[in-house]
Amino acid sequence: MDNTKKIPPVGESWSDYRKTHYTAQEISENDLMVQLVGEVIKTRKEKHISQRELEDMTGIKQSVIARMESGKTDPQLSTVLKLLVSMGKTLSIVPLELSKKQKI
């Protein structure tokens, strides 16, 4: 017999909170940053490169890479470019495909 009580969550969901407290532009910018950092992480893992090895390749401290990958800091463009170039990637500027509801 399960005697544990199920307590419902308090407050609003992350999705509701995000819509209430952030502008469409802030949400869009955050989503782009998540995609960009996600691509850096994906590339590093596909190439079987540790954060420490990436530090050796780029001169960017492992702790900076870890904070960027965990979302604790927003990296500078120069940092992202160093990381990408060292792994054989670059950035490309392309038009945003915005939904009718989401305009910047």
Side-chain angles (χ1 to χ4, degrees):
M1 184 158 128
D2 186 9
N3 290 331
T4 60
K5 292 182 180 180
K6 294 192 178 190
I7 301 171
V10 178
E12 55 194 332
S13 70
W14 169 243
S15 178
D16 291 341
Y17 180 88
R18 187 176 159 169
K19 290 175 187 171
T20 305
H21 293 81
Y22 295 97
T23 66
Q25 182 172 347
E26 290 170 325
I27 291 170
S28 180
E29 289 170 2
N30 184 63
D31 289 347
L32 288 172
M33 183 62 72
V34 168
Q35 283 181 306
L36 178 61
V37 172
E39 189 62 31
V40 171
I41 295 167
K42 178 181 158 201
T43 301
R44 181 178 66 74
K45 289 182 176 182
E46 285 175 349
K47 294 186 175 278
H48 307 287
I49 300 170
S50 69
Q51 290 178 348
R52 185 73 62 203
E53 290 169 325
L54 196 51
E55 174 185 22
D56 294 339
M57 294 166 64
T58 62
I60 298 169
K61 294 202 176 281
Q62 180 273 330
S63 59
V64 172
I65 296 168
R67 283 193 306 272
M68 180 195 75
E69 287 188 2
S70 67
K72 293 181 180 172
T73 186
D74 285 340
Q76 292 184 354
L77 180 58
S78 59
T79 301
V80 173
L81 290 173
K82 279 183 187 178
L83 294 171
L84 289 173
V85 168
S86 71
M87 295 185 291
K89 299 264 184 158
T90 189
L91 290 179
S92 181
I93 308 300
V94 297
L96 285 173
E97 294 179 10
L98 299 176
S99 69
K100 292 178 184 175
K101 295 179 185 176
Q102 189 179 31
K103 291 186 179 179
I104 296 181

